[in-house]
Amino acid sequence: MEKHMAVCPYCGAGCKMNLMVENGRVIDAEGLPGVTNEGELCLKGLYGYDFVNDTRILTPRIYHPMIRRTKGAPLERVSWDEALDFTASRLRAIIEESGPEAVMLTGSSRGAGNEANFVMQKFTRACLGTNNIDNCARTCHAASVIGLMECVGSGAMSVSIPTLEETDCILLIGYNPAASHPIVARRIVRAKERGAELIVCDPRVIESARIADLYLPLANGSNLALVNALAYTIIDEELADFDFIDEHTEGFDDWWEIVQDYAPEDVEGVCGMPAELIRQAARRYATAETAVVGWGMGVTQHAQGVQTVRAIAALALITGHIGKPRSGLAPVRGQNNVQGSCDMGMWPSLYPGYQRVDDPAARAKFAAAWGVLEERLSLEPGWKLTDLPHAVGEGKIRAFYNFGEDPLQTKPDTAQVRRMLESLDLLISQDIFMTQTTALADVVLPATSWAEHDAVYTASDRSFQLTTAALPPKGECRHDWEIFADLSTRMGYPMHYESTREIWDEVRALCPQFAGATYEKMAGTGWAQWPIFADAADDPENHGTPELYAGGAFATPDGKGHLVAAHWRPPTEKPDDAYPLVLCTVREVGHYSCRSMTGNCKALAALADEPGYVSISPADAEARGIDEEELVWVRSRRGKVLARAAVDERVNEGAVYMTYQWWIGKCNELTLHVVDGESGTPEDKYSACEVEAIADQRWAEDHLVERYAALKAELAAEADRQNPPEPEPEAASESEPAAEPAAPDNAPAPTPAAAFAPHEAEVAGRALYANGEEETLV
């Protein structure tokens, strides 16, 4: 048995591990003493490796390139030469007719690595001539990037993950670490054991709330009002660090002009809690010797996401809880390399290293390094990923290059996304699995998985770490960066690299704040945390900068922290008589993103499978005649899906919660495509919906089993056009579904938005945290 060092491909904690390989298969995983995980792994880290082996539990891997010769024609297997020539020809024709702005590309944060993302954005800019490149951060932490860059100069965590264990006070807002980042959650448990205070703000009694010193059950959609009220209290009760404000910040008077309207007593109705509770939280945070504020998509996935992030930054600035050890801001990123995708310039307004595309000096530098005329590199920021639906509808974008994402699963208002993808002149999908998006593609390009390539990843706290290949590429799969370089060469801009190390050295040469992050420093369980400058390269003890803004020196143009405030406004779609509940999307602890990876892992698929749960309060369930574990309809103005009821006393009345990993109980069939006007991040945390009982549960169970089998069979049939290797005997795909049973009179006919339904597996994962405080966060 061989052991190969890797970085976990799931959340942004950056856990180090060994993969055990025997007879060409990954058979186990064990934790290594990495800087963030110290030998520990969570559920996904321990059991989320066997998707690499192509279990075909959910959907098959793809091994060969495929194309549709004409729109609507079946996919057919072709050689790499034909696939890339076809792709180059089609892209060239679209650009000649409509210009480079008619092409949009998205990077991948799911295990592809920094080098692949760097080469893709280089292809986008130097070859195609556009800045239309984005990544999944647009739908999660784009609001954090934009808000923090304005206020403190960098959109990343200002502290390290280990800092959470060392600080005196942790304030969590809209962030559920037990489900999102279990290894981070363990740090929080240890901080509590050491005596740190924990303050949790969330509508639900999440796992962290159960052990909190102070729990603030804010009303859904009231984030900005609450944070403004915390800030008001800090100033009103003279708890602020006024010396820090005077010396290190700008904009106090304008900021206070707005915040002074948010006395806790005036926003009790908006926030849904007593004013004194808000004041207690403000006092504890402000008077702590050191403190960290952590947040997640419960803050960012709102129409006021950027404004709320600015308000959170203001809390740290007015208390001086930033720029000193064990204090700062912690927007904890969701996916394995979403921080790295941003670092590498997968962003329509930024080159690698956060250098602005509209800066002539930055353009000149990259043009010289890449051997192109400056005019080739556009000074105009490109389209955002969430601009796609209307840009395609208006004919402004005709081709979309989808790299390692599944927007048909992960983006809001799935019916709109499907219409958009089907109306493109050219859809290219580069992936490792036959996903729902890949099944619609005109070009399918098979890439290597996380366990089949070397790469550098950036953890959520800015730590670069090296992962190494445990297996050679399968079938005809190629490394992502090789595909981009080959396609670029065919389109007239030659690129060639021998290794990921050669690409990484180019990144370091172009990005001064990454320059000291050498392969040698990242060897084994080593790491390098940006900013890490060139002089650190030969110093084995210098791992970079664990905490930003030392001494109150911010990375803004004037070196000051900027206080910026905004008034709260209600969410976009308000509940009414037809749709009286608020739908909020959340994470599933045992699954990840679009589930193509974790859904193909035996242990994780056995733990939790379709249709997923809709968590509902006992009062709301009783009012609708819904019992625990029953199948129900969840509907909104955009569609209807099946889900299984989880009647949960920790859920607040008037709201329901669904995880977004499920194909059948797909909550994004229901969510509203409304975005934050500055970041483009969708308001996934607030849509109006209703939950309805289904009288005939036998019919519902049979229906969903068959619909789930039909969807899996459909995707397997698309993948099988390439004649893949035989699946493992114990994981053979399901038999063909029987004819669909007739629906009872009171059941609506399936629609495109609710056409696929789940099978018999019931989600057991909720029981993981049922037995006491210590188990809740591990």
Side-chain angles (χ1 to χ4, degrees):
M1 182 174 66
E2 305 169 357
K3 291 186 177 183
H4 296 269
M5 182 193 68
V7 178
C8 181
Y10 294 112
C11 83
C15 299
K16 275 280 189 172
M17 59 169 61
N18 270 331
L19 292 179
M20 270 67 93
V21 175
E22 190 170 83
N23 298 323
R25 293 165 48 82
V26 181
I27 62 169
D28 204 355
E30 64 178 6
L32 286 174
V35 63
T36 56
N37 67 308
E38 298 178 330
E40 297 179 323
L41 294 174
C42 77
L43 186 69
K44 292 191 287 289
L46 285 169
Y47 301 110
Y49 55 81
D50 51 330
F51 71 89
V52 175
N53 302 327
D54 195 13
T55 62
R56 296 173 69 95
I57 296 170
L58 183 65
T59 187
R61 286 194 63 175
I62 49 177
Y63 294 107
H64 309 285
M66 294 183 281
I67 64 172
R68 301 184 199 275
R69 296 192 183 276
T70 59
K71 202 71 178 174
L75 284 170
E76 62 178 273
R77 176 178 170 179
V78 295
S79 68
W80 270 109
D81 282 339
E82 185 170 4
L84 293 176
D85 285 343
F86 177 86
T87 305
S89 174
R90 295 289 302 277
L91 285 173
R92 194 179 298 114
I94 289 170
I95 290 171
E96 287 173 356
E97 293 173 9
S98 303
E101 303 307 317
V103 182
M104 176 79 194
L105 303 90
T106 180
S108 177
S109 301
R110 298 194 298 123
N114 282 337
E115 297 86 348
N117 282 283
F118 176 83
V119 176
M120 188 189 204
Q121 66 80 35
K122 182 177 178 180
F123 163 69
T124 303
R125 293 177 163 121
C127 179
L128 301 183
T130 179
N131 288 315
N132 287 349
I133 184 75
D134 208 351
N135 78 94
C136 70
R138 183 65 55 193
T139 59
C140 54
H141 270 291
S144 297
V145 174
I146 292 170
L148 291 181
M149 287 187 74
E150 178 181 358
C151 293
V152 293
S154 172
M157 287 178 66
S158 74
V159 295
S160 299
I161 288 173
T163 300
L164 292 170
E165 191 171 330
E166 302 163 359
T167 191
D168 297 314
C169 179
I170 301 170
L171 171 59
L172 301 182
I173 305 176
Y175 174 44
N176 184 7
S180 302
H181 304 88
I183 293 299
V184 175
R186 288 178 181 176
R187 296 276 187 183
I188 294 171
V189 170
R190 290 178 189 142
K192 277 278 299 174
E193 292 170 346
R194 193 183 52 77
E197 284 199 291
L198 175 61
I199 305 166
V200 175
C201 311
D202 200 284
R204 297 178 298 163
V205 184
I206 58 173
E207 306 303 327
S208 302
R210 296 174 68 188
I211 63 169
D213 296 281
L214 201 61
Y215 166 53
L216 278 65
L218 75 161
N220 297 77
S222 67
N223 292 335
L224 184 54
L226 171 63
V227 179
N228 281 348
L230 293 170
Y232 175 95
T233 302
I234 291 167
I235 301 298
D236 179 58
E237 299 189 9
E238 298 185 352
L239 304 173
D241 186 336
F242 289 103
D243 289 338
F244 189 92
I245 293 171
D246 291 341
E247 294 174 19
H248 300 293
T249 73
E250 292 286 349
F252 178 86
D253 289 343
D254 290 341
W255 172 82
W256 178 243
E257 184 69 24
I258 291 173
V259 172
Q260 66 182 344
D261 293 340
Y262 288 84
E265 292 75 14
D266 294 336
V267 296
E268 283 184 324
V270 171
C271 296
M273 71 183 84
E276 182 58 24
L277 192 56
I278 299 172
R279 287 188 176 271
Q280 287 182 38
R283 292 168 193 148
R284 295 191 186 199
Y285 170 74
T287 59
E289 185 67 24
T290 61
V292 173
V293 186
W295 69 93
M297 288 185 287
V299 163
T300 60
Q301 287 185 330
H302 285 279
Q304 287 191 285
V306 173
Q307 294 170 341
T308 306
V309 169
R310 292 189 188 114
I312 291 172
L315 290 181
L317 291 170
I318 64 174
T319 55
H321 283 325
I322 190 167
K324 66 180 184 180
R326 302 182 298 282
S327 291
L329 299 165
V332 191
R333 298 300 190 94
Q335 296 197 37
N336 143 281
N337 200 45
V338 66
Q339 182 65 55
S341 295
C342 296
D343 292 349
M344 294 302 106
M346 300 302 247
W347 199 258
S349 60
L350 298 170
Y351 287 118
Y354 303 95
Q355 300 167 83
R356 296 187 62 86
V357 301
D358 58 4
D359 179 358
R363 178 173 77 162
K365 179 174 82 170
F366 281 92
W370 292 342
V372 297
L373 295 173
E374 289 185 29
E375 293 74 18
R376 183 66 178 168
L377 302 181
S378 173
L379 288 167
E380 295 295 322
W383 291 100
K384 302 179 183 71
L385 188 57
T386 45
D387 291 331
L388 261 176
H390 75 258
V392 172
E394 294 170 7
K396 295 176 180 177
I397 292 178
R398 297 176 54 195
F400 177 44
Y401 197 143
N402 176 63
F403 169 33
E405 298 294 338
D406 188 6
L408 200 54
Q409 179 67 30
T410 59
K411 301 298 180 284
D413 194 351
T414 301
Q416 180 192 52
V417 174
R418 177 177 286 276
R419 291 192 298 270
M420 177 267 292
L421 294 175
E422 290 176 337
S423 66
L424 287 161
D425 291 332
L426 179 65
L427 174 59
I428 305 160
S429 192
Q430 185 166 310
D431 209 318
I432 61 176
F433 285 108
M434 182 57 69
T435 65
Q436 296 167 79
T437 299
T438 302
L440 295 178
D442 304 295
V443 178
V444 176
L445 303 176
T448 49
S449 78
W450 144 79
E452 296 156 2
H453 52 235
D454 298 340
V456 173
Y457 297 133
T458 318
S460 184
D461 65 357
R462 299 171 283 107
S463 297
F464 293 126
Q465 296 183 99
L466 186 62
T467 193
T468 59
L471 297 166
K474 297 182 184 296
E476 294 181 30
C477 296
R478 299 180 65 187
H479 300 315
D480 293 294
W481 55 266
E482 290 181 321
I483 300 170
F484 300 135
D486 197 346
L487 179 58
S488 182
T489 300
R490 291 165 192 264
M491 294 193 67
Y493 178 72
M495 272 200 281
H496 178 76
Y497 297 98
E498 294 292 339
S499 66
T500 52
R501 183 169 187 158
E502 181 183 352
I503 301 167
W504 185 244
D505 286 343
E506 182 177 336
V507 172
R508 292 172 51 232
L510 285 166
C511 304
Q513 62 184 330
F514 305 159
T518 63
Y519 262 41
E520 289 77 13
K521 194 173 291 292
M522 294 183 286
T525 56
W527 77 99
Q529 195 167 12
W530 69 257
I532 178 166
F533 298 102
D535 59 0
D538 298 323
D539 181 354
E541 301 303 314
N542 188 341
H543 291 280
T545 311
E547 293 169 326
L548 299 178
Y549 320 126
F554 294 98
T556 53
D558 61 4
K560 298 291 187 74
H562 289 248
L563 294 166
V564 184
H567 285 292
W568 173 83
R569 65 176 185 270
T572 307
E573 187 175 57
K574 301 172 181 61
D576 58 18
D577 291 342
Y579 302 98
L581 299 172
V582 173
L583 168 64
C584 180
T585 66
V586 293
R587 289 188 184 273
E588 166 69 39
V589 67
H591 282 291
Y592 169 74
S593 188
C594 62
R595 200 165 52 100
S596 60
M597 292 160 60
T598 53
N600 280 296
C601 296
K602 295 181 182 67
L604 301 179
L607 173 70
D609 207 337
E610 299 284 358
Y613 281 101
V614 54
S615 295
I616 186 170
S617 73
D620 288 329
E622 183 179 4
R624 290 159 177 77
I626 293 169
D627 291 330
E628 175 78 4
E629 297 290 331
E630 285 188 341
L631 288 171
V632 296
W633 291 112
V634 186
R635 60 180 177 86
S636 76
R637 293 179 176 87
R638 287 151 296 280
K640 181 186 321 198
V641 299
L642 282 167
R644 199 174 294 279
V647 182
D648 189 345
E649 64 184 7
R650 294 188 290 166
V651 169
N652 53 309
E653 289 185 35
V656 297
Y657 298 83
M658 297 179 71
T659 56
Y660 55 83
Q661 280 77 27
W662 309 110
W663 292 5
I664 307 310
K666 187 188 296 187
C667 59
N668 277 326
E669 299 280 9
L670 312 173
T671 49
L672 178 69
H673 186 86
V674 167
V675 301
D676 178 298
E678 296 178 78
S679 67
T681 303
E683 195 170 34
D684 284 348
K685 299 307 182 204
Y686 203 103
S687 301
C689 77
E690 177 61 297
V691 181
E692 298 173 346
I694 298 175
D696 190 340
Q697 286 291 301
R698 177 60 183 271
W699 171 84
E701 295 285 356
D702 290 345
H703 175 70
L704 60 86
V705 167
E706 292 165 3
R707 296 309 300 172
Y708 188 28
L711 176 54
K712 292 200 290 185
E714 177 186 329
L715 296 186
E718 291 291 343
D720 287 346
R721 297 180 192 279
Q722 60 176 330
N723 302 313
E726 289 295 319
E728 314 174 39
E730 69 273 20
S733 57
E734 297 183 24
S735 59
E736 289 297 314
E740 182 172 319
D745 292 340
N746 69 336
T751 65
F756 303 113
H759 82 331
E760 68 279 357
E762 295 182 356
V763 179
R766 296 184 302 126
L768 288 174
Y769 305 128
N771 299 312
E773 290 183 354
E774 187 159 338
E775 286 81 9
T776 63
L777 293 176
V778 298

